[in-house]
Every structure is written in C-alpha cells, then in structure tokens.
Amino acid sequence: MTMMEKEPQQPLSEWVTLISHDEFTFHILRSSANLSGTIRRMLDPKSGFKESVTGVCHFENISGTVLEKVCEYLYYKDRYQGMTNVPDLEIAPEVSLELALAADYLDCRAVACEGIMINVLI
Amino acid sequence: MDFAKTWSSLESSFRQIHTKETSEISFEELYRGAYRLVLRKKGEELYHRVVKFEEKWLSLDVRAQVVTLVSPELVAASNSTSIVERRFAGERFLKGVKQQWSNHEACMVMLSDVLLYLDRVYCIDKSIPTVYSIGMRLFRDEILKCPVASAAANDGTDQTILTLVIQTMLDHIKMEREGDVIDKTLLKSCTHMLEGMHIDNIETDEYRLYNYRFEPHFLQASRDFYAAESERMLRDSDAGAYCRQAKKRLVEEIDRCKSTLSEATMGRIERVVLGELIEQKLPELILMDTGVVYMIDNDRLEELGLIYELSGKVDDDKKELVKAVQSRIVELGKEINQTAMSPNANTDGNTLVQQTAAAIRWVEDVLSLKDKFDNIWAQAFNKDPRMQTEMTKSFTEFINMINFNRGSEYISLFIDQNMKKDMKDKSDAEVDSVLDKAITLLRFILDKDMFERYYKRHLSKRLLLGRSISLDVEKQMIGKMKIELGNTFTTKIEAMFRDMTTSTELTSSFRHHMSEIRANDPEMSARPIDLTVNILTSQVWPQELANNSNEDYEHRTIIYPYDIRKLTEYFTLFYAGKHNGRKLTWQPAMGTADIKARFPTKDASKDRVHDLNVSTYAMIILYLFNELPAGESLSFEDIQSRTNIPEGDLVRNLQSLACASRTRILLKSPASKDVNPTDKFTFNVGFKSNYTRIKVNVVASGNRVETDRERLKTEQKNDESRSFMCEAAIVRIMKQRKRLSHQQLLSETLAQLTHFKPDVAMIKARIETLIEREYLQRDERDSTMYEYLA
C-alpha cells in the first residue's frame, strides 16, 4: 500500500543517460552514476520522479566538458574504490574550478578534493 | 522576485509529492531551485517555508482523516464491547494511523532528497534539525498529540492519538496472550512508527516514543497480566503444569519481541515474566503438594528439569531448589536409617542375623537412593557440578547423623557379604560395579578410621577362615580404596595380605622341616599332625581378633594337649631360627582343626569314622574326651580348668558340640539349649551322620552387626587411636612451626586429620596432655600462644 509497494517491480535499466546544458549526452552505467549522491536520489525508483521514470537526467547548470570529466571520475571511482596505488586522474587546470562546483552540486565532494589535489600536483 | 517564484514552484511540486503525483516532476529542477536559493543565502527562509508548509499540510489535511478513524468502539470502556468488535475497531484505527505515517515518512524522504543541498549546507551549518527530522517532529506534534474526545477518558489524563495507539496495541497484545490471533505485522509497523519519533528534540534511542512512552506501559501491563496469571495457575494447576506454562510464556514473549515489537524490549520483558512467574512464586511453587518433593518421589524428570532451568534464570545459586532437594535427600535418608535401626530391641542371636540383613538392606537402600538422585542429576539438572556438590553434602549429612553411627560398619558388612557370597556368580564387570558402589558410599563417610577398623576386622575373618571367594577381587577393592583414600589408609590392610602370603610359604617350609624331624624321632612320627600357621603382625591386624570381646581374656595360657604343645614348640623353635628376636603369641580363637573321629561299635571293623572340621578350641575340648575312659563324664568346670579356655568361647564351643542336633558329638546332662557351669558332658558314642565330612560351626562366629556393648568397645578403641593420631598431628605441626596461636593450631590440626571428623574438645584435651608431658608449653606473656619444646 505504500508507494514502494505500488510500483511494479520493473528491473532497472543498466544504463542511464546524463545530458549537459549544451546538449552533450553521456550514457553511463547506473551503478557508477549512483556514486553521486544527487544522481542517486534523482534516479531512486522509490521516489518516482521524472528522471527515475525515464532514466534521463538533464543538468541545466553543467557544461558538456565538465560532465564528461564527471563521468570519467565516476567510472574511475567505481573502478578503484577502496584500492591503493591507483593511477592519478588527470584534470586540466582550466576545468578544475567548474568541476569543483559540479562536484559540490552533485554531492560527490571527493571529486573536488581529489581533483584539486591532483591539479596542484600537476 | 526570484525567491517567491522559485518557492511557489517548489511548493506546488511538494503538494504533488504529498498527493503522490511525482512522475511529471523533474528532480533536477527542484534540486537546482533549492540549490540556487541556498547559494543566495535564502536557506533560512526556505527552511521556514518548508516547515510551515508541512505544518499546514498535516494539521489541515492529515489530522482530519486520522480523527475520523477514532470509532466509538475504540474509545469505549473495554468491557462494554465484544472482543471481536474491539479488535476490529482497533485494527482499523492502527492501520489508518500507520498508513498516514508511512505516507508522511515516504514524502519526507523525497522532500529531503530534493532539499539535500539545504540539509547539507544550511542545516548542518546552523546545527538545526534536517528536513526529515523536522518532518517527524511535526507528525508527532500535529497528529499523535492531537487530543481525542473519549468517553472512557474520565480518569483525568487526556487521551490523544498517541495514547490511543499505545492502548490499542496493548489491548491487541493482551488478546494474543489470551489466545486470539492478531495482525502481528500491523503491530510491528506501529512499533516501527513509534521508534521513528522522539519525545522531544533529543534524538537518542531512550527518548524514542517507543522506549519512552510505549515500553513502560507495556511492561506494566505485562506485570499485571502475569501477576494475575501466576495467582490463578498456582490455585488451579500443579507445579509441573505451572513450569511448562511459565516456560511457554517466556518463549512467547521473546517471540513477540521479534515478530511484533522491538528486540530491544526482549531483556526487559523477560525479566518481568521471570519476576512475576518465577522469582516471586518459586518458594511457593517448590513447596506445593505437586512441587519438588512430589517430582522427586515420582521421578518427574522433565518437570524437575524445568524447575532447574527456571530457577537458574532468577538465581544463579538456585538456593530454593537446592534447599528442597537437600531436605528431601535427608528425609529419605533418615527413613532408611530408621528402617535399619528399628529391629534393635534386643540382641540375642536371631536378631543379630536380622540386624545384619538390615545392614545389607541399608546399604542397598542408600545405593538406590543415590542412583535415583544421580539419575535426576544427569537428566534434570544438566549434570550441574554445583548441584552435585550440594547433593553429596546431603548424603554425607544423613549417613553421618549423630543418632545413626553405623554407616562405617554397614558398608564394611556389605563388602563382606559380597566377598563371601554374592560375588560368586557375577561377571567381572558386575563385580567391578559392586566395588564401585561400595567406594561411592565410602566417600560419604566422615569417620574413615571407623570404617578402617571394621573393614580390617571383617577382612581378617575372611582371610583366616578362608571365606573370601576371590583374593583377586579383594585386591581390586584395596586398589580402589587406595585411589580413593590414599596410601596411608591401605598400608595396614595390604600388610595383612602380605602376612597371609608369607604364612603360606612358612607353613610349607615348616612341613618340610617336620618331615625331617619325624624321620629321626619315632615319638613324633607316631602322631603325624599337620600344622598350618598364619603369622600375623600384631600392629596390623585387629587386636580384638584374639580377645574376641571377652573381658576375662588376659593373656591367659591355653592348655594344649601334649601332641599339639609339642608341635607348637617345634614351630616356635623353627620360627626363632628364621627370625631372631620375634615374639610369637598363639591365638587359638580364630583357628580350625581337621580331626578324624572314631565312634566305636562292638565290631571294631565297623567303627564309624568321621572327618570333623572344628575350631581349635573344640579340638582341645575333644582331646580331653579322647583320654577319658569310656562312659565317664567331665563337668563344665573340669573342662574349663583343664583347658583354660575363656568362658565365653568355651560356652559357645560346647554349645556347638553338645546342643546343635546335627553335630552332637558330646552329650550333655541335663539336656538343654544353654550351657551352665554345673552341666556334665560325655562322649556321644552313638553319634550318627550321613556325611563323612562334618563341619562343626561355632555359634555366631561369622561377621555380623555388633551388639551395643561391642559397639561401645569399638568406639572406645577408635577414640584411643584417634587421640594418638591427633597427638601425632599436633606434634608434627608444632615441630615445623615452633610457635602458633591456639586458633591456628586448631585449624591446622583439623586440616591434617582427614580420615575422621575430629572433635574440638578432643584436640583441646590432647594439647593439654602434650603440655603436661612437656612437648609444648604456653607462652608466659600470651596464654593463647603455644611453643614447641624440642
């Protein structure tokens, strides 16, 4: 009788789509996308928001360049999470500020920190 | 204005979330809106708008729906409606409240997802509750605390939705306890709801509505319920049924915590049930007609097991149960003692046999009592070592009761009986188990020295009269005693066995020696008498063996017939040659003789010849008649003066020779059952028997229970040897310590004397005599101190 029970238990799609404000489209594994707190909530089937129904997320305040880096980071994190001696993720200095803002917005502050640190190292 | 526009879009989306129309709303839009407002320092305003919005939503929309759920059946006094009606109304109410709450909770999750940025940046920054927890508080204040008009609420307290929820839940639990089927899942989600909110703004577990508001009521209601139930059950059912019910209730309550309430309550409700059903009722339960005594007597092992288990839950020591079991053991033990003591009216021969049988029965009864309680211990008491110790204490208690001082003697008699008769047809394993049983009993005996005394006496008769069935079994027994009581206890007993072996060797070498002498001495060869000698070390064998309870026996010299005297002289010489400096004292009391007796007829070739097996004393008596002309008689006094046999032994031997019908080798005048000093005896020429070999038993010479006079003597002797052991212990301690206080000396002496239970008065008396004999002295300045004098 709760919302959760009312939803038919559809298997979730493996891939989701992220679209930047300048219409760059990225297909990314749901499991990796969920590493961002904001994206995870957005896609949560329990809430039933539009994004969770369509599997498509629009980001009106993120550019394609930055969103690409975000996706790259999410994969990077998904792959190396919890491991030691991981290779650096290269971040160009010119996107670092924007990337930091996006990280804050997407609730994956690790990107910001690591990004800046990596940036400083380069 | 930017804020107003954004808020109005947020607000309308929130409304849609509450009405479950979310599929057209873009999360990203809402999130971005809130993000922008927070970035522009509008967080505070946004926060307050959200709170206001929720407050309004709950108070206007939700509250009305919840209030309609409160039906008259629900708030009516519980006795005016049927259970079914009440359950139905309750279920509907709880379902409705739960539904509203879970809707609200789900919405709050979504809202706080959308407002994540507000939570993360504004709320944490200002240390104020997150959107989600403010949502929970609002539900509590707007819905649960909403007052309810109630007919039953004339007790002064204000009925609210919350109290109604709690009351309904308790009502349902009570229904389940009374056997109804209820919706457990529903109650579980109500529990979950009450766990989701706190009584004020401190959000720790103990302040959750469940813990703070529900649980105390639940525990109190349970306490009342079980107090009433225990009263009713004590009145209506037996102790076994009570225990089963109590155990069932415990399991039920634990299950209820898992399936219906919170596992956090498990420990507390268990304590309530144990407190009401067990702790307060245990003494009463144990003492019921159907209580522990009944269970023990009827071997209700399962019920005893339950009582054991339940007592253990409220008292680690299980004091009440231990007390009940112990007192039952002592009671049953006393009965056994009583039975054994009862045929103790007089002490003539016949009752002595009865008493011996009673002794054997006592041992068997005690053993079966022990078996019974061992069984209870293994099956019901989970082989609890503590219980075993306590039960052993009780056995020790009744076996060593002051008014029953025969345990040692009885156990020794039991072993005696088995060694002489009962072992005959038993397998090794059975023999072993009999021996173990004897040892088990021995463990309970405190005065082990008494036992040693009796055991040596009984053993000596078995050995000297050749009554033991198997020497191997005898040795096995000694081995077991050694393990149980230590080396010192068995040294003397082992020495007895050694004496027997040496004596056998000695006898055969003496036989060889005599055959050489006879070859050279015509006088000796004319009368070839065979001699078997047992050389007994006097400190090792029981002294009363020789004295045989006759006061007039004072190293008197028995007058042996010439042939016998000659033989003993030869032996004495022979022995002195082998062992220089040893003194031999002849002890005829325990000896036997095989003699060939010829009963003459007119035709000498038809003389009847019998082999008689008689006691040494009887042999001496018969020798007198050998030398007597036919037809002449000897008076009792004649016999006494010519043999010097102690009176008691003489009487008994004459009785067996002249009074027993089958072995009437002498005739007595006047003929009667008793032997009097004036009686006259003649040789019974007309003696007839169908057997060639005849055994003449001396009256009452077997091992049997002592008479009271004998017992007194035994105890006296025992006290003497105790005094000696006690003195030895005191001197040993003082030699080592040089200086001790009275109290210390006392306790160390008690610790050293393990074979019996020493009497403090005796130790004091021993200390006094040691001071007199100048082994010790009192300290001149401090009279409580003793010093050792080398």
Side-chain angles (χ1 to χ4, degrees):
Chain A
M1 292 267 261
T2 62
M3 287 173 178
M4 164 174 43
E5 287 157 18
K6 206 171 67 180
E7 299 280 336
Q9 277 296 322
Q10 245 172 22
L12 294 172
S13 59
E14 194 185 346
W15 297 88
V16 295
T17 307
L18 309 183
I19 301 173
S20 68
H21 73 87
D22 43 5
E23 296 292 328
F24 282 98
T25 304
F26 302 91
H27 296 286
I28 175 171
L29 275 172
R30 182 187 290 271
S31 55
S32 303
N34 277 349
L35 293 175
S36 146
T38 306
I39 298 178
R40 177 165 51 77
R41 288 175 171 80
M42 205 178 271
L43 291 170
D44 188 348
K46 274 192 270 179
S47 315
F49 286 108
K50 195 163 99 188
E51 288 88 344
S52 75
V53 179
T54 58
V56 180
C57 306
H58 289 272
F59 292 101
E60 291 301 327
N61 52 351
I62 301 176
S63 70
T65 336
V66 173
L67 194 56
E68 184 184 17
K69 209 66 200 173
V70 167
C71 292
E72 199 186 326
Y73 170 74
L74 289 172
Y75 274 140
Y76 170 86
K77 183 173 182 184
D78 198 5
R79 173 160 178 201
Y80 294 115
Q81 205 160 217
M83 291 163 66
T84 48
N85 294 332
V86 294
D88 290 343
L89 176 73
E90 282 187 29
I91 295 170
E94 54 274 23
V95 296
S96 61
L97 178 63
E98 258 191 284
L99 189 64
L101 288 173
D104 181 44
Y105 180 76
L106 292 174
D107 189 25
C108 40
R109 250 176 280 183
V111 175
C113 297
E114 282 173 28
I116 289 163
M117 277 176 61
I118 292 162
N119 201 16
V120 170
L121 285 174
I122 295 164
Chain B
M1 162 85 194
D2 195 21
F3 178 84
K5 209 176 127 207
T6 316
W7 170 247
S8 93
S9 136
L10 283 173
E11 191 186 21
S12 75
S13 300
F14 288 172
R15 202 171 296 279
Q16 281 174 300
I17 288 175
H18 278 297
T19 54
K20 304 178 189 174
E21 299 157 33
T22 49
S23 56
E24 288 310 308
I25 310 170
S26 159
F27 181 98
E28 194 264 352
E29 240 177 84
L30 297 178
Y31 184 84
R32 187 155 38 86
Y35 170 76
R36 287 225 171 99
L37 289 179
V38 173
L39 281 189
R40 280 167 209 175
K41 305 289 180 207
K42 299 285 186 191
E44 188 180 352
E45 209 175 339
L46 174 61
Y47 186 80
H48 287 294
R49 290 292 181 103
V50 172
V51 172
K52 274 267 155 46
F53 171 82
E54 282 302 320
E55 217 174 82
K56 220 169 119 194
W57 174 259
L58 285 168
S59 64
L60 294 180
D61 238 89
V62 182
R63 192 192 290 168
Q65 293 180 41
V66 171
V67 169
T68 58
L69 295 166
V70 181
S71 63
E73 292 90 352
L74 194 66
V75 289
S78 57
N79 49 6
S80 65
T81 48
S82 76
I83 287 182
V84 183
E85 277 174 328
R86 229 167 61 235
R87 193 178 62 209
F88 186 75
E91 254 173 38
R92 191 171 146 263
F93 170 69
L94 290 182
K95 259 186 198 146
V97 174
K98 188 211 95 181
Q99 182 67 59
Q100 290 299 342
W101 183 76
S102 50
N103 284 350
H104 180 71
E105 204 256 346
C107 291
M108 290 319 294
V109 169
M110 288 166 74
L111 245 63
S112 67
D113 280 354
V114 170
L115 299 172
L116 177 69
Y117 205 79
L118 179 70
D119 275 347
R120 262 179 51 201
V121 177
Y122 176 73
C123 295
I124 289 174
D125 209 35
K126 295 270 188 270
S127 321
I128 53 171
T130 60
V131 172
Y132 178 84
S133 61
I134 208 78
M136 294 299 109
R137 291 179 196 183
L138 286 169
F139 189 85
R140 177 193 70 205
D141 296 338
E142 296 300 324
I143 306 299
L144 295 184
K145 287 194 177 168
C146 167
V148 182
S150 156
N154 48 11
D155 52 359
T157 56
D158 291 327
Q159 190 81 299
T160 61
I161 297 290
L162 176 62
T163 58
L164 203 56
V165 166
I166 292 172
Q167 184 195 310
T168 312
M169 285 172 74
L170 294 179
D171 204 25
H172 277 229
I173 288 169
K174 185 156 183 261
M175 289 177 202
E176 190 180 46
R177 282 184 182 145
E178 284 166 356
D180 276 320
V181 178
I182 60 158
D183 186 347
K184 292 183 181 182
T185 329
L186 175 61
L187 260 68
K188 182 83 184 168
S189 38
C190 289
T191 300
H192 189 57
M193 168 175 86
L194 296 179
E195 281 177 332
M197 286 168 278
H198 296 78
I199 106 138
D200 57 16
N201 297 339
I202 305 166
E203 302 192 344
T204 55
D205 280 359
E206 60 198 294
Y207 288 117
R208 295 191 300 194
L209 288 182
Y210 176 83
N211 300 59
Y212 201 84
R213 299 293 301 276
F214 175 80
E215 202 177 78
H217 287 289
F218 169 67
L219 294 178
Q220 187 53 47
S222 308
R223 209 169 283 132
D224 295 345
F225 179 83
Y226 285 116
E229 179 167 274
S230 68
E231 287 299 332
R232 197 175 57 246
M233 285 199 304
L234 276 183
R235 219 172 35 238
D236 301 344
S237 55
D238 59 65
Y242 187 101
C243 290
R244 272 188 286 273
Q245 176 72 359
K247 174 142 191 226
K248 187 176 136 232
R249 285 299 194 189
L250 269 180
V251 175
E252 271 174 20
E253 290 301 332
I254 303 287
D255 284 350
R256 179 167 297 116
C257 286
K258 286 181 190 154
S259 68
T260 317
L261 300 172
S262 160
E263 300 200 7
T265 309
M266 227 139 62
R268 281 184 279 263
I269 185 67
E270 193 180 6
R271 271 198 295 284
V272 167
V273 179
L274 285 172
E276 291 302 324
L277 291 186
I278 306 300
E279 202 163 9
Q280 299 193 13
K281 308 292 177 195
L282 196 62
E284 210 178 324
L285 190 63
I286 284 172
L287 297 176
M288 273 170 88
D289 289 345
T290 51
V292 169
V293 169
Y294 172 84
M295 293 175 189
I296 289 174
D297 291 355
N298 293 284
D299 286 317
R300 297 286 182 101
L301 297 178
E302 180 227 341
E303 291 174 1
L304 280 170
L306 277 172
I307 283 234
Y308 169 80
E309 188 189 333
L310 294 171
S311 314
K313 284 183 194 278
V314 296
D315 174 15
D316 281 343
D317 294 343
K318 308 172 192 73
K319 284 193 205 73
E320 299 288 342
L321 177 63
V322 166
K323 215 168 76 191
V325 171
Q326 284 190 321
S327 76
R328 191 61 191 152
I329 292 176
V330 173
E331 260 171 58
L332 292 172
K334 274 184 183 165
E335 280 173 30
I336 294 174
N337 289 351
Q338 217 69 57
T339 320
M341 299 274 276
S342 57
N344 197 15
N346 51 18
T347 47
D348 64 71
N350 217 12
T351 43
L352 271 176
V353 176
Q354 271 173 29
Q355 277 186 44
T356 308
I360 306 290
R361 215 182 115 204
W362 179 86
V363 171
E364 273 158 8
D365 286 350
V366 173
L367 281 175
S368 75
L369 190 69
K370 175 88 172 74
D371 279 348
K372 182 187 178 78
F373 279 93
D374 278 349
N375 189 31
I376 289 174
W377 175 73
Q379 309 237 356
F381 296 162
N382 202 19
K383 301 199 173 176
D384 183 341
R386 249 197 72 100
M387 288 305 274
Q388 193 181 34
T389 319
E390 298 299 337
M391 286 157 82
T392 306
K393 271 189 207 157
S394 299
F395 274 94
T396 313
E397 187 186 331
F398 83 76
I399 288 176
N400 295 288
M401 282 236 192
I402 308 214
N403 58 4
F404 179 81
N405 45 13
R406 304 190 164 182
S408 303
E409 188 186 358
Y410 284 3
I411 294 170
S412 178
L413 263 177
F414 169 78
I415 300 172
D416 188 61
Q417 178 79 5
N418 273 290
M419 289 294 185
K420 285 195 319 209
K421 292 192 187 122
D422 299 354
M423 295 287 192
K424 209 171 278 175
D425 306 316
K426 287 195 167 114
S427 69
D428 285 356
E430 280 168 331
V431 166
D432 207 49
S433 99
V434 170
L435 299 186
D436 281 340
K437 279 177 174 176
I439 290 288
T440 314
L441 288 183
L442 195 51
R443 239 169 252 165
F444 296 127
I445 293 285
L446 292 181
D447 294 336
K448 302 241 164 38
D449 56 342
M450 270 292 223
F451 173 80
E452 188 191 354
R453 194 168 288 278
Y454 283 114
Y455 193 79
K456 269 164 65 180
R457 185 185 305 167
H458 294 155
L459 175 66
S460 65
K461 288 198 182 166
R462 287 204 295 279
L463 290 179
L464 294 180
L465 301 175
R467 290 289 192 75
S468 204
I469 288 168
S470 157
L471 279 179
D472 281 346
V473 178
E474 291 278 8
K475 286 191 176 138
Q476 230 175 308
M477 186 75 222
I478 306 294
K480 282 183 193 290
M481 281 193 225
K482 192 185 265 180
I483 293 168
E484 196 58 36
L485 303 169
N487 276 333
T488 38
F489 187 81
T490 49
T491 27
K492 286 190 176 176
I493 296 174
E494 281 171 308
M496 287 166 72
F497 279 96
R498 249 197 328 276
D499 277 352
M500 293 303 286
T501 327
T502 1
S503 299
T504 318
E505 289 162 11
L506 199 65
T507 301
S508 76
S509 64
F510 178 64
R511 199 164 284 159
H512 185 69
H513 176 72
M514 280 313 285
S515 65
E516 282 172 11
I517 286 176
R518 284 198 190 97
N520 304 324
D521 184 342
E523 191 201 344
M524 286 308 288
S525 64
R527 306 239 170 129
I529 302 172
D530 218 3
L531 180 71
T532 303
V533 178
N534 287 317
I535 303 288
L536 314 178
T537 316
S538 61
Q539 293 95 331
V540 171
W541 291 69
Q543 288 183 1
E544 61 274 14
L545 198 68
N547 305 20
N548 213 0
S549 82
N550 280 288
E551 264 108 40
D552 61 344
Y553 184 92
E554 300 270 323
H555 293 290
R556 62 168 67 222
T557 326
I558 306 292
I559 303 168
Y560 292 103
Y562 176 76
D563 294 339
I564 307 294
R565 197 168 65 239
K566 198 88 184 137
L567 196 62
T568 58
E569 278 160 9
Y570 271 113
F571 183 80
T572 313
L573 271 172
F574 169 75
Y575 191 73
K578 284 200 170 238
H579 303 278
N580 201 9
R582 287 195 191 173
K583 186 168 177 284
L584 280 179
T585 312
W586 293 90
Q587 304 286 2
M590 295 301 293
T592 60
D594 288 312
I595 49 180
K596 225 178 246 300
R598 184 179 294 273
F599 297 90
T601 51
K602 281 171 198 151
D603 181 359
S605 65
K606 285 183 183 166
D607 286 356
R608 291 184 305 281
V609 176
H610 291 281
D611 290 330
L612 301 182
N613 176 263
V614 297
S615 73
T616 307
Y617 284 142
M619 180 266 290
I620 298 171
I621 296 166
L622 290 176
Y623 241 98
L624 295 179
F625 289 93
N626 220 12
E627 292 155 4
L628 204 68
E632 281 190 35
S633 69
L634 283 172
S635 72
F636 181 83
E637 279 157 349
D638 289 337
I639 298 174
Q640 197 175 14
S641 64
R642 286 167 72 175
T643 59
N644 214 8
I645 296 174
E647 183 165 339
D649 286 321
L650 185 57
V651 168
R652 283 189 294 111
N653 277 291
L654 284 174
Q655 263 177 341
S656 56
L657 288 173
C659 301
S661 63
R662 265 190 239 169
T663 55
R664 194 170 293 150
I665 295 155
L666 299 181
L667 288 174
K668 185 173 85 78
S669 75
S672 69
K673 277 206 164 179
D674 297 315
V675 174
N676 297 308
T678 52
D679 289 346
K680 289 195 180 308
F681 298 89
T682 48
F683 183 63
N684 182 9
V685 182
F687 177 80
K688 274 184 184 148
S689 173
N690 295 331
Y691 303 100
T692 321
R693 270 191 69 85
I694 298 164
K695 188 169 170 57
V696 181
N697 287 317
V698 178
V699 174
S701 67
N703 280 337
R704 47 169 177 84
V705 166
E706 290 178 303
T707 61
D708 285 345
R709 216 180 69 195
E710 286 169 337
R711 187 185 319 286
L712 219 64
K713 281 198 74 169
T714 310
E715 273 163 22
Q716 253 171 28
K717 286 221 185 72
N718 218 33
D719 281 347
E720 279 163 27
S721 77
R722 279 181 187 188
S723 303
F724 180 72
M725 278 165 76
C726 189
E727 279 178 10
I730 295 172
V731 171
R732 222 165 26 238
I733 294 163
M734 289 306 289
K735 195 168 188 177
Q736 194 187 359
R737 302 300 202 87
K738 305 297 179 211
R739 196 181 143 83
L740 271 181
S741 78
H742 178 72
Q743 216 47 47
Q744 281 170 307
L745 179 56
L746 211 59
S747 66
E748 290 213 17
T749 310
L750 286 172
Q752 282 221 0
L753 300 171
T754 50
H755 282 329
F756 59 95
K757 196 173 54 186
D759 183 20
V760 176
M762 182 180 87
I763 299 180
K764 278 187 187 159
R766 288 305 108 200
I767 296 175
E768 288 303 324
T769 59
L770 284 172
I771 290 173
E772 270 170 37
R773 280 146 60 198
E774 294 184 339
Y775 281 94
L776 308 178
Q777 69 174 18
R778 281 212 175 80
D779 191 317
E780 282 163 15
R781 280 146 301 170
D782 183 355
S783 63
T784 59
M785 297 297 286
Y786 298 115
E787 281 173 352
Y788 179 70
L789 294 174

